[in-house]
């Protein structure tokens, strides 16, 4: 090629220099109350996460409800034990997706979409255990070092191909390196699953709940309106950062079978702590307009949850907004069903009124509107509903 | 799922690092073709005579280690040293004036303070782009009326002052591997391999209106080093060269 011998020689020289710089990803677990030395790469990661945490703290996305935060933090402390407890700061983040994450400085996020889907405290405990394992095993630091090492490797590869004169190969180089990076992610997830299982079961939670939450998620996604979502569960890509879900479920089920000791699910405590948020979390979930998933979730909650008035009302809302053939009837049925429970939101009466009026059932409409005004005397749409009542009375006379 | 975020945090980190690196490179590029000029507001905001109170807001500093591969890694110890040195240099530079200079540490519990420092970063970047980096805004051709807004009054709750002085500084320092590669590739005819540098900008802000009454930017090559007191002092001298608070003193 056109490159001189000197050029090749020089490139080889730099390559050697870079290789020497390869950093170890084999790090010891972080001890309770341990902080990184200021001169390390780890301290740099902490510094940046401390900065983002300052902003997170004041973010409108963070749920500030004291009772809920105390509850989640208490579950976290039970899982990680009293020594690590002060190192963790759990934030409940108002996002309607099933997600949780862990920053290297001890900042943990639990998203409300996850709290909505967990069935009991044991399932939340496994999620917390999993995230805590990322912290304790210093996975962020390991991954940062992998990124650095791979960036070096990537540079080597491009330099190598530049010398050899095969520019297209650089694309391949990036691809294989990206796949390797994601692959490291999968190993860490597997480790976090296993350690998380250990932490949660040692804290006295029922082992079979670890797989249960994933099994539920798979079935929910199978009911998604979006084909993209449905396909994603089965897909085993080299880019998948987590072990394919079925493999993950198998691993967790095997662990539960081995563990054999029985633990608690603490379902009642969980439902009591999250109950006040059920309606607003479902409302946020509906914003995604994936009615298949959403209705499947509500049906699942209906099976086990005492908050039937809220749940039937929310399912009625989903049908009302979906507007497929027959949905109006389904919605009305759900609103009426909801109205037979103590915890029915007053808005159910307004919706009954609206649907009855549209079907020409004036007497029922009138009664429903009046009940709404009675139950929600401060409603912002009070004047509007009163005008409907007046119009209905005029039509009747 | 549970996992994806861990990666996302990394992406975020890379993004910030990338942004900082880009900014530093931009500033270095700028130095090659333009001379930096300090800007004064065209708003009606004449700086009063007499002794004023100036709050030195805790500088926003981030210093990184530039690896051979081009990845910049934030260093907590350098960041702290740089921050301390810059603050001391600012105090020294202003000590000769008649004004009362108060150093102000940000209160982490006051989210608005943290957000204002971030706002200064954004407004400063915008000023750089549209005033110094050749992307002029037609509506600001003859005006310099940037402002952080009256939200800056929040600082008065803790400490009364006439002016706030913000400083934003970024720096990256190349590893020996990076330096060797830059030199080696340059010899082989491949240029453009950055070896780090430092950049900073400062704003003097009216505490009542939030208007930026004076703004300046400076950058230095790898030669000077704000991790050392002399390096920080030379950077601050460059930035403060035409600062009204200092000039005024000479005139009166």
């Amino acid at each position: 090629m056109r490159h001189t011998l000197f050029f090749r020689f020089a490139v080889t020289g730099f390559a050697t220099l870079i290789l020497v710089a390869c950093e170890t990803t084999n790090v010891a677990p972080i001890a309770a109350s341990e902080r990184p030395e200021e001169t390390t790469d780890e301290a740099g990661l902490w510094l940046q996460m401390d900065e983002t945490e300052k902003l997170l703290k004041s973010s409108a996305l963070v749920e500030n409800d004291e009772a809920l935060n105390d509850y989640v933090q208490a579950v976290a402390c039970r899982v990680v034990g009293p020594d690590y407890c002060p190192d963790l700061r759990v934030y409940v983040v108002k996002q309607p997706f099933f997600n949780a994450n862990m920053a290297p400085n001890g900042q943990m996020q639990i998203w409300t979409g996850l709290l909505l889907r967990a069935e009991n405290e044991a399932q939340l405990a496994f999620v917390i255990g999993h995230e805590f394992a990322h912290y304790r095993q210093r996975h962020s630091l390991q991954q940062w070092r992998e990124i650095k090492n791979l960036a070096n490797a990537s540079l080597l590869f491009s330099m190598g191909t530049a010398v050899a004169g095969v520019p297209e190969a650089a694309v391949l180089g990036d691809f294989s390196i990206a796949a390797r990076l994601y692959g490291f992610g999968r190993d860490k997830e597997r480790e976090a699953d296993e350690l998380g299982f250990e932490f949660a079961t040692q804290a006295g939670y029922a082992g079979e709940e670890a797989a249960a939450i994933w099994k539920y998620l798979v079935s929910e996604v199978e009911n998604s309106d979006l084909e993209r979502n449905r396909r994603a569960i089965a897909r085993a890509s080299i880019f998948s950062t987590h072990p394919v879900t079925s493999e993950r479920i198998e691993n967790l089920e095997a662990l539960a079978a081995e563990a054999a000791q029985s633990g608690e699910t603490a379902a009642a405590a969980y439902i009591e702590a999250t109950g006040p948020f059920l309606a607003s979390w479902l409302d946020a979930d509906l914003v995604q307009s994936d009615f298949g998933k959403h209705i499947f979730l509500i049906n699942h909650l209906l099976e086990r949850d005492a908050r039937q008035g809220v749940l039937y009302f929310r399912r009625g809302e989903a049908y009302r907004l979906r507007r497929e053939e027959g949905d109006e009837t389904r919605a009305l049925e759900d609103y009426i069903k909801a109205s037979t429970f103590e915890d029915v939101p007053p808005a159910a009466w307004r919706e009954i009124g609206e649907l009855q009026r549209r079907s020409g059932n004036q007497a029922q409409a009138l009664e429903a509107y009046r009940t709404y005004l009675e139950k929600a005397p401060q409603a912002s749409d009070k004047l509007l509903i009163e005008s409907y009542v007046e119009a209905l009375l005029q039509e009747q006379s | 799922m549970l996992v994806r975020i861990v990666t996302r945090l990394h992406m975020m980190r890379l993004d910030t690092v990338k942004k900082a690196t880009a900014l530093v490179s931009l500033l270095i590029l700028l130095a090659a073709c333009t001379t930096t000029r300090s800007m004064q507001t065209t708003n009606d905001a004449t700086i009063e005579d007499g002794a004023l109170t100036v709050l030195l807001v805790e500088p926003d500093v981030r210093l990184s280690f530039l690896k051979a591969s081009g990845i910049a890694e934030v260093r907590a110890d350098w960041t702290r040293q740089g921050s301390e040195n810059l603050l001391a240099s600012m105090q020294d530079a202003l000590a000769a004036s008649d004004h009362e200079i108060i150093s102000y540490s940000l209160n982490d519990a006051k989210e608005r303070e943290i957000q204002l420092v971030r706002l200064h970063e954004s407004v400063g970047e915008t000023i750089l782009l549209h005033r110094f980096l050749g992307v002029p805004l037609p509506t600001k051709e003859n005006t310099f009326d940037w402002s952080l807004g009256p939200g800056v009054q929040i600082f008065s709750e803790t400490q009364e002052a006439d002016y706030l002085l913000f400083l934003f500084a970024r720096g990256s320092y190349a590893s020996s591997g990076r330096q060797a590669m830059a030199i080696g590739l340059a010899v082989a005819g491949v240029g453009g391999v950055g070896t780090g540098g430092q950049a900073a900008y400062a704003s003097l802000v009216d505490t009542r209106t939030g208007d930026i009454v004076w703004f300046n930017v400076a950058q230095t090559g790898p030669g000077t080093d704000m991790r050392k007191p002399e390096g920080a002092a030379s950077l601050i001298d460059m930035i403060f060269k035409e600062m009204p608070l200092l000039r005024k003193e000479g005139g009166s």
Side-chain angles (χ1 to χ4, degrees):
Chain A
M1 308 259 61
R2 276 173 50 237
H3 298 299
T4 61
L5 187 65
F6 171 75
F7 184 80
R8 286 181 192 216
F9 179 72
V11 168
T12 321
F14 308 136
T16 319
L17 263 174
I18 293 161
L19 277 177
V20 170
C22 199
E23 290 175 76
T24 178
T25 56
N26 189 7
V27 294
I30 195 163
S33 70
E34 183 182 345
R35 298 290 176 271
E37 288 285 326
E38 201 194 18
T39 53
T40 59
D41 51 354
E42 191 173 21
L45 293 182
W46 279 57
L47 177 75
Q48 290 173 84
M49 292 324 296
D50 287 348
E51 291 295 316
T52 61
E53 190 172 342
K54 279 182 201 164
L55 291 179
L56 178 73
K57 260 183 202 161
S58 57
S59 165
L61 285 177
V62 169
E63 174 60 64
N64 290 319
D65 183 84
E66 210 174 310
L68 182 68
N69 279 291
D70 287 351
Y71 173 74
V72 175
Q73 185 74 42
V75 175
C77 285
R78 178 170 163 188
V79 172
V80 309
D83 293 346
Y84 280 101
C85 173
D87 296 345
L88 289 193
R89 295 169 306 285
V90 186
Y91 296 90
V92 174
V93 177
K94 289 184 255 183
Q95 289 285 290
F97 307 100
F98 185 93
N99 213 339
N101 68 66
M102 184 80 231
N105 66 342
Q107 170 209 137
M108 186 190 287
Q109 293 184 19
I110 306 279
W111 289 13
T112 49
L114 188 149
L115 292 175
L116 175 63
R117 286 168 174 84
E119 288 170 38
N120 51 48
E121 195 174 301
Q123 294 188 355
L124 172 63
F126 282 106
V127 169
I128 290 172
H130 174 104
E131 298 305 329
F132 172 63
H134 283 314
Y135 172 78
R136 211 197 67 163
Q137 301 308 105
R138 290 182 150 124
H139 281 164
S140 294
L141 176 64
Q142 286 182 33
Q143 196 153 352
W144 173 238
R145 289 188 178 168
E146 281 153 17
I147 290 171
K148 286 190 282 180
N149 290 342
L150 284 164
N152 283 342
S154 175
L155 187 73
L156 279 184
F157 194 88
S158 340
M159 281 165 63
T161 50
V163 178
V166 194
E168 297 82 9
V171 181
L172 277 177
D174 286 338
F175 181 82
S176 62
I177 280 154
R180 228 180 104 197
L181 186 60
Y182 279 92
F184 280 124
R186 287 185 57 173
D187 288 346
K188 291 194 193 66
E189 292 311 321
R190 213 170 280 128
E191 186 183 25
D193 267 354
E194 282 161 20
L195 282 172
F197 181 89
E198 202 181 304
F199 299 140
T201 47
Q202 274 169 7
Y205 290 107
E208 52 280 7
E209 294 303 321
I213 193 162
W214 292 109
K215 279 195 269 188
Y216 165 72
L217 265 186
V218 169
S219 53
E220 183 188 306
V221 176
E222 276 167 357
N223 282 276
S224 171
D225 288 347
L226 306 167
E227 208 201 323
R228 177 167 50 89
N229 282 351
R230 293 197 300 273
R231 266 205 323 260
I233 19 170
R235 193 171 44 209
S237 154
I238 54 166
F239 289 113
S240 56
T241 54
H242 54 281
V244 184
T245 315
S246 58
E247 179 192 323
R248 181 170 213 168
I249 291 172
E250 276 168 35
N251 286 347
L252 291 170
E253 277 181 334
L255 286 171
E258 268 172 51
Q261 85 245 31
S262 61
E264 61 164 343
T265 58
Y270 186 79
I271 287 172
E272 196 194 322
T274 55
F277 300 91
L278 185 65
S280 66
W281 291 347
L282 280 170
D283 198 21
D285 190 67
L286 187 57
V287 172
Q288 296 173 68
S289 290
D290 190 335
F291 296 104
K293 254 170 101 250
H294 184 72
I295 292 170
F296 183 85
L297 169 63
I298 295 178
N299 289 340
H300 178 71
L301 290 165
L302 272 168
E303 282 171 24
R304 62 175 175 83
D305 206 305
R307 296 161 292 195
Q308 305 271 306
V310 169
L311 291 168
Y312 279 114
F313 171 72
R314 291 307 322 175
R315 197 172 70 179
E317 290 286 272
Y319 286 134
R320 177 174 70 84
L321 292 165
R322 189 172 70 172
R323 292 201 285 187
E324 277 177 13
E325 186 75 39
D327 275 352
E328 208 161 285
T329 316
R330 289 188 197 102
L332 181 59
E333 278 169 13
D334 276 348
Y335 292 135
I336 291 173
K337 180 93 177 153
S339 71
T340 63
F341 294 97
E342 285 271 311
D343 62 336
V344 59
W349 296 105
R350 183 190 58 208
E351 299 306 327
I352 293 171
E354 182 67 17
L355 289 170
Q356 295 286 26
R357 187 171 63 103
R358 292 228 302 255
S359 341
N361 302 328
Q362 295 181 349
Q364 287 97 323
L366 196 59
E367 194 201 327
Y369 279 143
R370 280 175 166 161
T371 314
Y372 173 66
L373 289 172
E374 204 176 287
K375 299 212 176 214
Q378 308 294 325
S380 57
D381 54 1
K382 187 182 167 198
L383 291 175
L384 184 73
I385 303 299
E386 278 174 352
S387 77
Y388 291 165
V389 169
E390 229 162 88
L392 282 165
L393 283 172
Q394 268 174 14
E395 279 173 46
Q396 273 188 340
S397 58
Chain B
M1 303 237 192
L2 285 178
V3 194
R4 205 166 287 157
I5 272 277
V6 179
T7 325
R8 195 173 307 157
L9 287 175
H10 282 298
M11 293 304 133
M12 207 161 75
R13 230 173 269 132
L14 277 180
D15 273 358
T16 344
V17 169
K18 234 188 267 166
K19 215 168 104 187
T21 317
L23 184 69
V24 171
S25 333
L26 220 59
L27 287 166
I28 290 166
L29 210 68
L30 151 95
C33 51
T34 339
T35 50
T36 56
R37 294 162 300 162
S38 73
M39 301 305 300
Q40 295 214 29
T41 185
T42 51
N43 285 352
D44 185 18
T46 41
I47 291 180
E48 291 158 41
D49 286 326
L52 300 164
T53 312
V54 182
L55 222 58
L56 287 185
V57 179
E58 184 182 329
D60 177 359
V61 183
R62 189 68 54 84
L63 303 185
S64 331
F65 186 32
L66 190 59
K67 300 272 178 174
S69 58
I71 281 187
E73 177 171 279
V74 172
R75 282 282 297 256
D77 51 339
W78 296 354
T79 298
R80 183 183 48 75
Q81 282 161 9
S83 191
E84 285 168 4
N85 291 340
L86 286 171
L87 189 63
S89 302
M90 287 199 284
Q91 283 165 334
D92 287 350
L94 294 164
S97 72
D98 298 336
H99 310 300
E100 189 186 356
I101 310 297
I102 300 168
S103 298
Y104 186 80
S105 299
L106 294 170
N107 181 351
D108 285 358
K110 280 197 167 173
E111 50 167 291
R112 299 277 303 157
E113 291 186 7
I114 312 263
Q115 283 175 354
L116 280 162
V117 171
R118 292 296 173 102
L119 181 64
H120 174 251
E121 174 184 350
S122 290
V123 174
E125 269 177 25
T126 313
I127 296 174
L128 283 182
L129 183 66
H130 297 301
R131 180 58 65 172
F132 295 96
L133 295 175
V135 191
L137 287 175
T139 52
K140 290 205 187 287
E141 214 171 323
N142 300 311
T143 54
F144 186 87
D145 56 357
W146 300 92
S147 178
L148 300 186
V152 297
Q153 287 165 9
I154 185 101
F155 287 100
S156 313
E157 285 176 13
T158 322
Q159 178 62 55
E160 283 288 343
D162 299 300
Y163 292 97
L164 302 162
L165 189 55
F166 288 91
L167 180 78
F168 173 92
R170 293 291 181 268
S172 62
Y173 306 90
S175 66
S176 50
R178 180 82 181 167
Q179 284 167 350
M181 192 173 65
I183 295 163
L185 288 178
V187 170
V190 184
V193 179
T195 53
Q198 305 171 101
Y201 52 79
S203 306
L204 188 64
V205 173
D206 189 317
T207 322
R208 288 151 302 177
T209 59
D211 288 355
I212 296 178
V213 296
W214 167 87
F215 178 91
N216 198 17
V217 54
Q219 65 80 36
T220 63
T224 49
D225 187 345
M226 69 173 111
R227 293 173 296 175
K228 302 198 175 80
E230 320 82 75
S234 84
L235 190 63
I236 291 298
D237 284 348
M238 266 192 266
I239 296 181
F240 280 12
K241 209 164 53 186
E242 288 173 56
M243 192 174 15
L245 292 175
L246 293 173
R247 270 190 310 140
K248 207 139 197 140
E249 187 212 9
S252 60

